[in-house]
Amino acid sequence: MAKEPFQETKQDPIASSPDSGSLESNLVGLTEPIYNDTVEPKGSVPRRIWDSFKRDPNLRATPKGVVGANGRVFDVGAATQATADSPLARKLKGRHLQMIAIGGSIGTGLFVASGKALSNGGPASLLIAYSLIGIMIYCTVQALGEMAVLYPVAGSFSAYSTRFLDPAWGFAMGWNYAMQWLVVLPLEVVAAAITVNYWPCNISPAAFVAIFLTIIICINLFGIKGYGEAEFLFSIIKVIAVIGFIILGIILDIGGGPTGDYVGGRYWHNPGAFHYGFKGLCSVFVTAAFAFAGTELVGLAAAETANPRKSLPTAVKQVFWRITLFYVVSLTLVGLLVPYTDPRLIGSSGADAKASPFVIAIKTAGITGLDSVMNVVIMISVLSVGNSSVYGSSRTLAALAEQGQAPKIFAYIDRQGRPLVAIIFASVLGFVAFLSASNKEVTAFLWMQAISGLSSIFTWGSICLAHIRFRRAWRKQGHTLNELAFRSQAGVIGSWIGFLFNALVLVVQFWTGFAPVPDQNGGRIEGAGPLTQNFFQAYLAFPIVLAFFIPYKIYYRTSFMRSKDMDLMTGRRELNLQELLAEEEVEKAAWPKWKKAYKFLC
């Protein structure tokens, strides 16, 4: 039997002697109290729960008077130190991080909003756009993984923009990312109300909104461990559902359904592979970006993992398989099984937007009951992404507060390591979802999706550019790539590919914003009012970013970070690479062949 590790404790020499008695058992087992001694009673369970929400006096997110003390000067070094020393609890395990990477952001962007993309661009546009965005995301997450292992900052990778680009751009990116996730919570719950309408029901959508919000808020109040376990469970369900749909979709396409009808590539010929040609393809990009939003949460969670050197690279590699399997393969099958002219697709006719293309494919095949099961999976996906949205926005707000770029109250972190004020703020904004009780639920869904979708493009582009600048500074300051604990497989070339792809998406989205594609019936948007509304639905994130960046840049007069001046040491996780690599080699030598193959791929 293994011995318990020895723990040294301070004891009263009288109370611990054989002749004394205390409320704790002494060396000879006596339990009589010393009547002149005062013993601190252990609090009741409600009292301990209440105390856990109090601010921990030993956890200070930002040292007093360091960051922005004079209200005008931004101290990059102090901000870097504050985020590096953040007291957020590091309780995520490798399995949590891997499931966050594999299934964490699979939600309405894949299951519901892909219907709008299919309706606007056709099956070929759907496949091309999601594949290109997938390549861009892979390069982005590789770059993020490299920086996050070396500098596992808490909260937001806007800290990388502050550190390697420009503090003003870091401020804009931080609030852009926070707003993206603050909007996602009501967005996901509104999407839930839309999918609930699939079943004939006389219950008000507001009732379902209240149920979903309550569950999501309660999960996040359990802290990082609650978030990790919930995401682990939700992601397993989503992964099983998508793999099941892929198997079913292949069977249905080759004629194995109840009707025995062979589908093949029928809908790629009639009504066709593309809808409105190149412009139709361009119109799909922002929807695809919305579907991939959240992939970068792997990096956000890095600061809350016990060992990012070991768990983060594995999770980053698994992003490739998620993109390939869950997005590209499943949407290929959706395009084979559902024509883009189907009136039930969201975006084709607002009043009939009741189901996702996944559900439509199953129902069209004539399989009874399974369409409802898929709709339940979508409900779980809503819970999952809503859960991630509170996590993402609260940690981002906490990081911004630590850097002096948000009200300091958001840096309040309680004794359980929860950014409590930020969680409450994000949860309160979730009540916007009660719009689903009105007849404007689809309109609200599209507006909130517009904020969230394009925001991701700015976030990913900034990550890629920050990585390019980091590598330049790393080389200029005399460091070698051998010193990096994790190196991006895509390298600097991959970051340039990711950055240029993001810029390209911004350009084509601008074009389709002021010159939109017609609807399914060939109707075009005409008039200044409707065209302006359509443009801002497509490009809303851009003016929001400028509204944060320009005033901050002018007021604080921040300068672009030069590579020779970048601080590469503060907050750097010190690792003995030689020792770690030697240990890993010994561990790998003992692996069976199947595990070596698995680890190489995953």
Side-chain angles (χ1 to χ4, degrees), residues 215-246:
I215 294 172
I216 290 168
I217 292 169
C218 287
I219 288 172
N220 277 274
L221 287 178
F222 275 103
I224 184 61
K225 203 165 186 180
Y227 165 76
E229 293 298 343
E231 273 308 297
F232 185 74
L233 178 62
F234 291 153
S235 294
I236 286 175
I237 294 171
K238 289 187 288 184
V239 167
I240 291 172
V242 173
I243 292 174
F245 176 81
I246 289 171

Coordinates of all heavy atoms in Angstrom, one line a residue, residues 215-246:
I215 N -30.1 26.7 -16.9 CA -29.1 25.6 -17.0 C -27.7 26.1 -17.3 O -26.8 25.8 -16.6 CB -29.5 24.5 -18.0 CG1 -30.8 23.8 -17.6 CG2 -28.4 23.5 -18.2 CD1 -31.4 22.9 -18.7
I216 N -27.6 27.0 -18.3 CA -26.3 27.6 -18.7 C -25.7 28.4 -17.5 O -24.5 28.2 -17.2 CB -26.5 28.4 -19.9 CG1 -26.8 27.5 -21.1 CG2 -25.2 29.2 -20.2 CD1 -27.2 28.3 -22.4
I217 N -26.5 29.2 -16.9 CA -26.0 30.0 -15.8 C -25.5 29.2 -14.6 O -24.4 29.4 -14.0 CB -27.0 31.1 -15.3 CG1 -27.3 32.1 -16.4 CG2 -26.6 31.8 -14.1 CD1 -28.5 33.0 -16.2
C218 N -26.3 28.1 -14.3 CA -25.9 27.3 -13.2 C -24.6 26.5 -13.5 O -23.8 26.4 -12.6 CB -27.0 26.3 -12.9 SG -28.5 27.0 -12.1
I219 N -24.4 26.0 -14.7 CA -23.2 25.3 -15.1 C -22.0 26.2 -14.8 O -21.0 25.8 -14.3 CB -23.2 24.9 -16.5 CG1 -24.2 23.7 -16.7 CG2 -21.9 24.4 -17.0 CD1 -24.5 23.3 -18.1
N220 N -22.1 27.5 -15.3 CA -20.9 28.4 -15.2 C -20.7 28.9 -13.7 O -19.6 29.2 -13.4 CB -21.1 29.6 -16.1 CG -20.7 29.3 -17.5 OD1 -19.6 29.5 -17.9 ND2 -21.7 28.9 -18.3
L221 N -21.7 28.8 -12.9 CA -21.5 29.2 -11.5 C -20.7 28.0 -10.7 O -20.2 28.3 -9.6 CB -22.8 29.5 -10.8 CG -23.4 30.8 -11.2 CD1 -24.8 31.0 -10.5 CD2 -22.5 32.0 -10.8
F222 N -20.6 26.9 -11.4 CA -19.8 25.8 -10.8 C -18.4 26.0 -11.1 O -17.5 25.2 -10.6 CB -20.3 24.4 -11.3 CG -21.5 23.8 -10.6 CD1 -22.7 23.9 -11.1 CD2 -21.3 23.3 -9.3 CE1 -23.8 23.3 -10.4 CE2 -22.3 22.7 -8.6 CZ -23.6 22.8 -9.1
G223 N -18.0 27.0 -11.9 CA -16.6 27.3 -12.1 C -16.1 26.5 -13.3 O -16.8 25.9 -14.0
I224 N -14.7 26.6 -13.4 CA -14.1 26.0 -14.6 C -14.3 24.4 -14.6 O -14.4 23.8 -15.7 CB -12.6 26.3 -14.6 CG1 -11.9 25.8 -15.8 CG2 -11.9 25.8 -13.3 CD1 -12.4 26.3 -17.1
K225 N -14.4 23.8 -13.4 CA -14.6 22.4 -13.4 C -16.0 22.0 -13.9 O -16.1 21.0 -14.7 CB -14.4 21.8 -12.0 CG -14.0 20.4 -12.0 CD -13.5 20.0 -10.6 CE -13.0 18.5 -10.6 NZ -12.5 18.1 -9.3
G226 N -17.0 22.8 -13.6 CA -18.3 22.6 -14.1 C -18.4 22.8 -15.6 O -19.0 22.0 -16.3
Y227 N -17.7 23.8 -16.1 CA -17.7 24.1 -17.5 C -17.0 22.9 -18.2 O -17.5 22.4 -19.2 CB -16.9 25.4 -17.8 CG -16.5 25.6 -19.2 CD1 -17.5 25.9 -20.2 CD2 -15.2 25.3 -19.6 CE1 -17.1 26.1 -21.5 CE2 -14.8 25.5 -21.0 CZ -15.8 25.8 -21.9 OH -15.4 26.0 -23.2
G228 N -15.9 22.5 -17.7 CA -15.1 21.4 -18.3 C -15.9 20.1 -18.4 O -16.0 19.4 -19.5
E229 N -16.5 19.7 -17.3 CA -17.3 18.5 -17.3 C -18.5 18.5 -18.2 O -18.9 17.6 -18.9 CB -17.7 18.1 -15.8 CG -16.6 17.8 -14.9 CD -15.8 16.5 -15.3 OE1 -16.3 15.8 -16.1 OE2 -14.6 16.4 -14.8
A230 N -19.2 19.7 -18.2 CA -20.4 19.9 -19.0 C -20.0 19.8 -20.5 O -20.7 19.1 -21.3 CB -21.1 21.2 -18.7
E231 N -18.9 20.5 -20.8 CA -18.5 20.5 -22.2 C -18.0 19.1 -22.7 O -18.3 18.7 -23.8 CB -17.3 21.4 -22.4 CG -17.8 22.9 -22.8 CD -18.8 22.9 -23.9 OE1 -18.4 22.5 -25.0 OE2 -19.9 23.3 -23.7
F232 N -17.4 18.3 -21.7 CA -17.0 17.0 -22.0 C -18.2 16.1 -22.4 O -18.2 15.4 -23.4 CB -16.3 16.4 -20.8 CG -15.7 15.0 -21.0 CD1 -14.6 14.8 -21.8 CD2 -16.3 13.9 -20.5 CE1 -14.0 13.6 -22.0 CE2 -15.8 12.6 -20.7 CZ -14.7 12.5 -21.5
L233 N -19.3 16.2 -21.6 CA -20.5 15.5 -21.9 C -21.2 15.9 -23.1 O -21.6 15.1 -24.0 CB -21.4 15.6 -20.6 CG -22.8 14.9 -20.8 CD1 -22.6 13.4 -20.9 CD2 -23.7 15.2 -19.5
F234 N -21.4 17.2 -23.3 CA -22.1 17.8 -24.4 C -21.4 17.4 -25.7 O -22.0 17.0 -26.7 CB -22.2 19.3 -24.3 CG -23.1 19.8 -23.3 CD1 -22.9 21.0 -22.7 CD2 -24.2 19.0 -22.8 CE1 -23.8 21.5 -21.7 CE2 -25.1 19.5 -21.8 CZ -24.8 20.7 -21.3
S235 N -20.0 17.5 -25.7 CA -19.2 17.3 -26.9 C -19.3 15.8 -27.3 O -19.4 15.5 -28.5 CB -17.8 17.7 -26.7 OG -17.7 19.1 -26.5
I236 N -19.3 14.9 -26.3 CA -19.5 13.5 -26.7 C -20.8 13.2 -27.4 O -20.8 12.5 -28.4 CB -19.4 12.6 -25.4 CG1 -17.9 12.5 -24.9 CG2 -19.9 11.2 -25.6 CD1 -17.8 11.8 -23.6
I237 N -21.9 13.8 -26.9 CA -23.2 13.7 -27.5 C -23.2 14.2 -28.9 O -23.7 13.6 -29.9 CB -24.3 14.3 -26.7 CG1 -24.4 13.7 -25.3 CG2 -25.6 14.4 -27.4 CD1 -25.3 14.4 -24.3
K238 N -22.6 15.4 -29.1 CA -22.6 16.0 -30.5 C -21.7 15.2 -31.4 O -22.1 15.0 -32.6 CB -22.0 17.4 -30.4 CG -23.0 18.4 -29.7 CD -22.5 19.8 -29.8 CE -21.4 20.1 -28.9 NZ -21.0 21.5 -28.9
V239 N -20.6 14.7 -31.0 CA -19.7 13.9 -31.8 C -20.4 12.7 -32.3 O -20.4 12.3 -33.4 CB -18.4 13.6 -31.1 CG1 -17.6 12.5 -31.8 CG2 -17.5 14.9 -30.9
I240 N -21.0 12.0 -31.3 CA -21.8 10.7 -31.7 C -22.9 11.0 -32.7 O -23.1 10.3 -33.6 CB -22.3 10.1 -30.4 CG1 -21.2 9.5 -29.5 CG2 -23.3 9.0 -30.8 CD1 -21.7 9.1 -28.1
A241 N -23.6 12.1 -32.5 CA -24.7 12.5 -33.4 C -24.2 12.8 -34.8 O -24.8 12.3 -35.8 CB -25.4 13.7 -32.8
V242 N -23.1 13.5 -34.9 CA -22.5 13.9 -36.2 C -22.0 12.6 -36.9 O -22.3 12.4 -38.1 CB -21.4 15.0 -36.1 CG1 -20.8 15.2 -37.5 CG2 -22.0 16.3 -35.6
I243 N -21.3 11.8 -36.2 CA -20.8 10.5 -36.8 C -22.0 9.7 -37.2 O -21.9 9.1 -38.3 CB -19.9 9.8 -35.8 CG1 -18.6 10.6 -35.6 CG2 -19.5 8.4 -36.3 CD1 -17.7 10.0 -34.5
G244 N -23.0 9.6 -36.4 CA -24.2 8.8 -36.7 C -24.9 9.4 -38.0 O -25.3 8.6 -38.9
F245 N -24.9 10.7 -38.1 CA -25.6 11.3 -39.3 C -24.7 11.0 -40.5 O -25.3 10.8 -41.6 CB -25.7 12.8 -39.1 CG -26.2 13.5 -40.4 CD1 -27.6 13.5 -40.6 CD2 -25.4 14.1 -41.3 CE1 -28.1 14.2 -41.8 CE2 -25.8 14.7 -42.4 CZ -27.2 14.7 -42.7
I246 N -23.4 11.0 -40.4 CA -22.5 10.7 -41.6 C -22.8 9.3 -42.1 O -23.0 9.1 -43.3 CB -21.1 10.9 -41.2 CG1 -20.8 12.4 -41.0 CG2 -20.1 10.3 -42.3 CD1 -19.4 12.7 -40.5

